[in-house]
Every structure is written in C-alpha cells, then in structure tokens.
Amino acid sequence: MGHALIFDSGVGGLSVAAEIRKRLPGLRMTYAADDVFRPYGAKTEAQLKARLPRLLWELTETAQPDLVVIACNTASTTALSEIRAAIDVPVIGVVPAIKPAAAASRTKTIAVLGTPGTVKRRYVDDLIHDFAEDCHVILQGSVNLVDIAEKKLAGESVNLAWIKTEIAPLFNGKHGADIDAVVLACTHFPLLRDELKASVTQSVQWIDSGDAIARRVETVLKKLTPKPFEDRPDTALLVGPKTSDARIQTFNNFGFKRVVSLMP
Ligand code: DGL
C-alpha cells in the first residue's frame, strides 16, 4: 500500500499518525521527531527555514518513504515550500482547521489555539481571510501546552491547573464567552483533548485536522506506485539523545514498535 514518513518536533504528530492508521491500517509508517530542536513554536521563521529542508532531506534519504507528512502546524505554516523543494516525494502539510471551525460555529466566534509561531504566520491570516471572514477570530499561542503534551505522553501526570492557565486568556477575554469552536492548530494539542474539555465550562467544539490529513494521504497514495519496502516494524526515529522508557512505550502504543535515537 505504501510507506509514509510522518514528521513533527516531538510526539504531536502521533495525533495525526493515529488518524492515518485508522483510515489506512495497511500503510507502513516511519515517524520522525526532532526532539533536539523542540519547541518549534519558540523558533524564528529563519531558524526553521534553515533547519527543516536539510533535516527532511536526510530523514527521507534514511527512511525512503513514498510520501512525507509534515504533521506539525508550525513547520507547515513556515517552511512547507522550502521542504517540498528539497525532497523528491510528495509532501503533505497540516492546514489549521479554520475552515471547518468557521463553518461549525453558530456564534461566529472562534479561537485558533496554536504555537506562538503558527498564530503569527501570514498563512493563518490568509486562511482567516479566505474562510472565516464572517467570524470573530481570537488567536492564542502557547508553548507550554506543547511541553505539557510531551510530559503526558512521557508518562508524567498532567495538572489541570496548568491547562487552565494556558487557555484562560482565550475564555476570559472580551469575546471569550461567545467562543463555540476552537481550532487545535498544533498537533500536540489533540493529545490533550480530554484535559482541554475538562478545563472549560462552556460548550466548545475542539477541531483539529488529523482526519483531513488522513484523507489527503489516501488520495495522494492512490496516484503513487509504492517503492519496494523492507519488511520491518514501523519505526520511530528520534533526533536527539536516547529517550525515556515511558516515551518509548508511547511510541510502541501508537504502533511504532521500533524506536531508534539518531544523534544529530
Ligand atoms: N506539534 C507542532 C505543531 O503542530 C509544534 C510543537 C512545537 O512547538 O515544537 O505546531
């Protein structure tokens, strides 16, 4: 059926990998996490543009996938065209789910919760202009939620008060009480969906793009002739030092039975 390389700065892309696996259980996947350079949301555009094309080229040479999924909003909204120019297989990026959130909102007040990098990008302004012009859109960036999601998936307990502190500016702000849809514009955030839901009292839809990406992968795969693939378990390549046993277990639980640390 084919082989996809799924890329993120850390465990966030697992939320996308899970949706892809649900839709395409026969697809082989390699996962790559840029642990050593996380959080991407705190990096400048120039830093990401300097790092990502080369890194993705190297990972693609190593994994030999049929296609690449940039399962990271920050990387996709910053350096997608540069990454595409560097490698010769199809590259699918994540698009923040602003269009479905605007369509789902009855109050026409939506929030975009991403990394500080993503919510600043022109790409997001363009999506709002194209698909949410009839909405009041509140942008909120958080680096800490990325870290909290990493902690959760590394087996540490998550304190709801941390989450409440991160999202308080959204719901306590001027139009906060009207928000009825929140775009999870960072792939780490669907991993905290239960905690986010538990942190607000008003009725809110939390909308991510995982399923849309999985559908896009399916469409792109149909047009490809897969390369021959060595028969081995789906593998996670972690760019950085050896990770903890609990985190290895997380990758195993998401179907990546082999976990390899790549020292940069
Ligand atoms: N998961 C990534 C995203 O979707 C970024 C997390 C980070 O800041 O490293 O934006």
Side-chain angles (χ1 to χ4, degrees):
M1 171 183 245
H3 170 211
L5 172 68
I6 317 294
F7 175 81
D8 182 41
S9 65
V11 297
L14 290 173
S15 68
V16 177
E19 293 293 338
I20 296 173
R21 223 183 261 295
K22 209 172 5 167
R23 180 165 286 269
L24 302 162
L27 180 69
R28 293 161 186 276
M29 285 195 265
T30 298
Y31 190 92
D34 191 7
D35 284 338
V36 82
F37 208 61
R38 192 179 57 252
Y40 279 8
K43 302 292 187 296
T44 64
E45 283 195 62
Q47 284 174 306
L48 293 171
K49 282 184 174 161
R51 179 173 180 83
L52 291 174
R54 171 82 198 178
L55 177 60
L56 266 301
W57 178 82
E58 282 171 11
L59 291 167
T60 305
E61 286 296 297
T62 304
Q64 292 293 318
D66 298 303
L67 62 88
V68 173
V69 178
I70 305 298
C72 172
N73 290 264
T74 315
S76 298
T77 55
T78 307
L80 197 58
S81 48
E82 289 82 356
I83 295 169
R84 284 197 169 125
I87 57 185
D88 62 3
V89 293
V91 178
I92 297 170
V94 186
V95 178
I98 289 169
K99 185 179 179 184
S105 174
R106 275 186 286 164
T107 60
K108 295 295 164 202
T109 304
I110 68 171
V112 179
L113 184 61
T115 67
T118 297
V119 298
K120 274 198 301 235
R121 294 293 176 258
R122 169 83 194 271
Y123 190 98
V124 167
D125 292 340
D126 290 347
L127 287 172
I128 293 169
H129 177 267
D130 292 347
F131 301 116
E133 254 203 332
D134 59 342
C135 290
H136 188 80
V137 183
I138 301 163
L139 300 170
Q140 169 81 22
S142 169
V143 179
N144 291 339
L145 284 175
V146 172
D147 191 47
I148 296 168
E150 287 288 335
K151 285 196 165 72
K152 176 180 174 183
L153 270 67
E156 293 177 39
S157 60
V158 170
N159 187 334
L160 225 50
W162 302 338
I163 311 257
K164 286 184 180 161
T165 305
E166 291 305 306
I167 60 172
L170 269 187
F171 294 99
N172 298 342
K174 194 165 165 219
H175 297 278
D178 298 329
I179 295 171
D180 66 351
V182 178
V183 179
L184 297 177
C186 169
T187 54
H188 279 75
F189 299 171
L191 301 169
L192 296 172
R193 193 185 298 273
D194 291 344
E195 292 82 356
L196 287 163
K197 276 187 186 165
S199 299
V200 293
T201 46
Q202 67 205 64
S203 166
V204 169
Q205 294 188 62
W206 304 88
I207 303 177
D208 67 82
S209 7
D211 181 54
I213 306 295
R215 279 185 273 121
R216 181 80 193 125
V217 170
E218 187 173 37
T219 306
V220 172
L221 272 176
K222 282 190 185 136
K223 296 181 202 140
L224 292 176
T225 309
K227 298 175 196 161
F229 188 81
E230 179 199 337
D231 198 20
R232 57 164 173 71
D234 282 357
T235 300
L237 306 172
L238 308 185
V239 182
K242 191 179 173 323
T243 201
S244 69
D245 288 346
R247 199 156 175 268
I248 290 173
Q249 189 58 52
T250 289
F251 283 105
N252 293 167
N253 294 345
F254 277 84
F256 299 94
K257 300 295 179 196
R258 213 169 135 246
V259 179
V260 176
S261 293
L262 304 175
M263 281 311 290

